[in-house]
Amino acid sequence: MRGGRVAGLRWLREGQGALRALVSRWAGLGRAFLQRRPATPPRSRFRRRLGWGASMLAVALLPPLLLVITAVGTSLPPELVAAVPEQSLRVEDREGRLLREVRTQGGELLRWVPLSAMPELLPRAVVAVEDRRFHAHPGVDPAAVVRAAGQCVRHRRWVSGASTLTMQLARRLRPHPRNLRGKWGEMALALRIEFSVPKPRILEEYLNRVDFGPNVRGIGAASQAYFGKPVAALSLGEIALLVGLPQGPSVYSLGRHPERALARRARVLRALVRSGVVTVGEAQVAEAEALSLSTRRSAFGAPHLVSALVSGGLTDLQPALRGALASSPSRVRTTIDSGLQRAAEVALASVISGLSSHQVTSGAALVIDNVSGEILAYVGSPDFYDEAHQGQVDGVRALRQPGSTLKPFVYAAAIDELGYTPATVLPDLELRIPVAQGFYTPRNFDDRFRGPVRLREALGNSLNVPAVHTAVALGSATLLRRLHAIGFDSLRESPEYYGPALALGDGEVRLVELCRAYSVLARGGTLLPVRVVSEVELPQATGGRPFSRVVSLEAPAPARVLPPATAALITDILKDPTARAATFGLDSVLGFEFDVAAKTGTSKGYRDNWVVGYSHRVTVGVWVGNFDGSPMLKVGGTAGAAPVFRAVMEAAMEGRDARQLPLESRHPEDQPSALGLIRAEICPVSGEARGEDCPHGVFEWIPVGAALATCRWHHTVTVDRRNGLLAGRDCPSSMTARRRFEFYPPEYAEWARGTGHSLGPELYSPHCPGPELPTDPGVAPLRIITPTDGARYVIDPDRPLELQSLEITAVSERGSARVALEVDGVNAEDRGSPFQFEWRLAPGHHRFVAVDADGRRSPAVDIEVRR
């Protein structure tokens, strides 16, 4: 909107022709009347003149009277009654620093400033420049109207306008066509405003609604946009510069026409001197001020969070936001730590840039405060403005396959539902699960089977087969129910849809859900909804006067979803470097100088790489991949997300106390006794209490009162020295010896033989036989134990074919020195014990047969490989 004289002149020029025609018409009628009038006596002439004067007076008073009547019938704009003016939204970090100012729906920056918060000089300057008789007229200045009309008649053009501040405000509230009818309505509305609204309020409304530049409305937005400071901090020179803009925001544009703006400032200062607002000396000092505009780019910190916040995409995380955002807040204070946010952005961008040769273009990172649930850093992509790699996609909220990052919650459910402990032994053996398409056969990342493994080792080394075995034991429905309870809301399909493969991340979740779930472990089993916003400022109005009300968004009450002991046990495993040493080594990128519990994950086809973990104070989650779903080039384990995780975790912990995690923490509530746990020595092979025949033991945490049998896998037996078989009672002592052996349960026996373990003898020596031992006549002395007959395999289209192989293991009861593998009738090279062969997958039907040195053949094993 144009203000003051510029707006008035524009209207007057448009109405000049109409007014000239009207004056000419009145003059012509007067001349015609005088020419037709007969001669009259003096007294009659006096009366006629008196009547003529009364008529002229009535004509002169009629327009103001009609204007007043029109004003009385004009309703006061609701913006001045009860409505709250729409303002641009200021999004701040946790310290009140600006992250982003979001424009109004009309694309404007508008920040309401009460008159009491403005410098006293500002409203006085506006009145002196725009409307010197503001405090004397009723909204329309008769003197200005008469002056403008007289100048128009005298100069035959419009020399000056007649708009008052109140009329400019009326025009802003109710825009109208630039014609006589529109101007009449503007003056009537100005009178109506003056009838109902005090002068100071009119000044406040004007200064907050007038345009100061393209999409810059109100003195508050102008002060920030041009000088980067609040209104209260403006100098005299800056006030004069801003006061001169409403007359022609584009004419006096500070960016395009600074010389015009400075000339306008000089005229404003001279007007202030003439009005006695400032002294000559003060005006000279102000005029000498250099034009120092703010050169800062518009702030846009945490861009993905701000975008999600404004669009309402975070209301599912913090439901209280739904009502707060619906009330059109003018300010939102987030929980973001700007320093940590910047550190996370730099770390992510740096690592992703270094992985470009591995076909990695995207990533995301999130940091949550464990105590409050507040999000401290939120990085949705390495570069918000990278259109080539879909930089504006929000990786924090995007659905991706989580890989192995769900395993801690699978084992937590098993501890609660099945009575598992970290010492529980799980089978890492070939597992065939019937599904609609045939059989589901999970494999470990290295295609090896490790036989019996303790839960601590299985989770620490991220083994797939034991996790699927545990999921089968739990049941898909129970597992899904437990995942829902801990906050994985994105898993919306049925248990049958996911099946046991859910344990390996065969479903889609969000990074924010993973971080929220891991923070549950950090809190000892308590679920606390995340907080993104701590408070909002809601503009309101009482009696038409805008004001703001600050509303704090309190965090909901926490809910216990895991027993403290279960959370402590999982934490103890995830922070244990020895538990993951077999896969990651003791000196990995996940090692810190303070306690950190962490888990990696890689989805099928190297499409997603994750690290999620926590210290006592913060939970950090990192995802690396490509938004278009294309696979990365061999980026898994600790290669992709782990360096980002390390940098962000160290930045997050800077300046924070690094208390130990359970179960080594000195905090009373983390003490094992308080959690009902004791440390017991167990056999590392069987997971049972160490017996006298166990060669060594390890210490493990188990619940108080848990049944723990003495190891049954290690025994010392008497053997015949001559052949190593069991010695009967009749063997002379000179021919016997006491030796310690491993005796595996039946389900592990074939694996143990195939991997060359020294197993205890099962037969008695023929020199000194013992009691008859039962034998299984159906078991061939030479046989293939993996794969099983009838197994079906599918080639992974996302992995190079040369990297996909099958391990084939044979055992010989007759002590054969060497065994060869025959594949589809063709002999391969022979091997010594253990008889293990690696065969590269090829589509079709295949038959395997083991052949020993004496030509004895094993039963055939048939498999099928599909693309």
Side-chain angles (χ1 to χ4, degrees), residues 612-636:
V612 189
Y614 50 93
S615 66
H616 171 68
R617 292 298 305 274
V618 297
T619 295
V620 175
V622 177
W623 166 81
V624 164
N626 298 300
F627 285 134
D628 62 4
S630 59
M632 299 174 285
L633 184 60
K634 298 181 182 179
V635 176

Side-chain angles (χ1 to χ4, degrees), residues 764-843:
Y764 277 96
S765 171
H767 303 295
C768 43
E772 192 71 23
L773 296 175
T775 60
D776 186 353
V779 176
L782 177 62
R783 60 191 182 277
I784 295 174
I785 60 173
T786 58
T788 56
D789 188 40
R792 299 176 185 176
Y793 298 90
V794 178
I795 293 175
D796 187 345
D798 298 321
R799 296 178 60 194
L801 186 59
E802 61 271 15
L803 298 180
Q804 301 184 57
S805 60
L806 179 66
E807 185 180 90
I808 302 169
T809 303
V811 295
S812 173
E813 302 288 356
R814 294 191 173 93
S816 301
R818 302 190 71 80
V819 170
L821 178 67
E822 183 181 282
V823 181
D824 297 332
V826 179
N827 282 333
E829 61 176 329
D830 58 355
R831 301 279 176 86
S833 180
F835 309 123
Q836 294 177 323
F837 305 86
E838 186 174 336
W839 175 74
R840 184 175 297 173
L841 290 180

